[in-house]
Amino acid sequence: MLPRSFTFLLVPDFSLMPFTAAIEPLRVANRMEGQAHYSWRTASADGQSVRASNGTLVQVDTSLTDAPPGHALILCAGLRAADQKRAPIRAALRHHARRGVMIGSVCTGSVLLADAGLLDGHRCTVHWEEIESLAENYPALTVTRSLFEIDRDRFTCSGGTAPLDLMLHFIAADVGKELGARVADQMLHHSARQASEPQRL
């Protein structure tokens, strides 16, 4: 379904690399196709700037409650994701889910999706440092060690460069494998990894 729009929800101490690894393939795909197949906006819980774990301050476009629903909402977290569990975030995430928006996460965002009850009955993954903790704290979840998981209207992705592989998967599904390969080539990512590949060497 094109064009496709994404809202990236940034929480304090989010990891910058997974966030940019998710956005850049979309930008490259648009440039190569000469049209805006993809659009994106950034949001925070209160509409204020958010500082990444590396100290970079990111000015967002909107607050989560004011964000247009779009096609997919991606929660970007990082260090101390569990410290960001907040009732307003849970309520807003559930509100978007009820409206039929695809809900996803990168890095440790799965922790907050689990806290909101949005991963119940779905396969999910998280950065390898948090796999055991997520499985222990939410025993009803099916937590895998995959690079990413797409289960119906939920998708979760481990950290680092794995969101690049996730977005290449979406691009190939939306437009075709040829464009996915060209985007990977442009980004010097010589082969898109499959979802089931392990996170660690």
Side-chain angles (χ1 to χ4, degrees):
M1 178 173 55
L2 292 175
R4 188 191 294 270
S5 60
F6 294 89
T7 297
F8 290 88
L9 171 61
L10 311 181
V11 300
D13 286 323
F14 75 97
S15 294
L16 195 61
M17 179 178 282
F19 168 57
T20 56
I23 288 181
E24 283 299 287
L26 306 178
R27 178 190 65 80
V28 173
N30 285 348
R31 183 171 72 85
M32 288 187 159
E33 287 290 281
Q35 54 187 305
H37 286 320
Y38 301 100
S39 63
W40 53 91
R41 66 182 64 84
T42 54
S44 66
D46 57 6
Q48 299 300 307
S49 302
V50 184
R51 197 172 296 280
S53 58
N54 66 4
T56 301
L57 189 65
V58 177
Q59 176 63 55
V60 300
D61 299 313
T62 185
S63 70
L64 179 57
T65 52
D66 294 334
H71 295 101
L73 173 68
I74 303 179
L75 201 156
C76 304
L79 299 174
R80 296 182 292 278
D83 294 343
Q84 306 305 323
K85 294 176 182 177
R86 301 283 189 275
I89 291 180
R90 285 193 292 270
L93 289 172
R94 291 168 180 163
H95 171 73
H96 284 286
R98 286 193 299 269
R99 298 180 69 176
V101 176
M102 283 189 73
I103 306 288
S105 66
V106 297
C107 199
T108 60
S110 302
V111 173
L112 300 182
L113 296 188
D115 179 61
L118 297 180
L119 295 180
D120 294 352
H122 295 79
R123 290 174 61 83
C124 63
T125 192
V126 68
H127 187 278
W128 61 265
E129 286 187 325
E130 294 290 335
I131 287 175
E132 292 182 5
S133 173
L134 185 67
E136 180 179 341
N137 291 327
Y138 302 94
L141 300 185
T142 303
V143 183
T144 77
R145 297 181 178 273
S146 300
L147 283 179
F148 60 90
E149 291 283 355
I150 302 172
D151 188 351
R152 292 160 289 164
D153 55 355
R154 300 286 183 269
F155 59 94
T156 51
C157 184
S158 56
T161 58
L164 171 55
D165 300 286
L166 172 67
M167 290 304 179
L168 289 173
H169 173 88
F170 284 143
I171 291 167
D174 290 340
V175 186
K177 292 183 178 179
E178 180 184 358
L179 179 60
R182 288 168 56 211
V183 171
D185 234 12
Q186 181 70 23
M187 304 188 76
L188 306 184
H189 193 67
H190 300 304
S191 62
R193 295 173 291 179
Q194 299 301 305
S196 59
E197 292 190 37
Q199 296 183 29
R200 306 183 72 184
L201 294 176

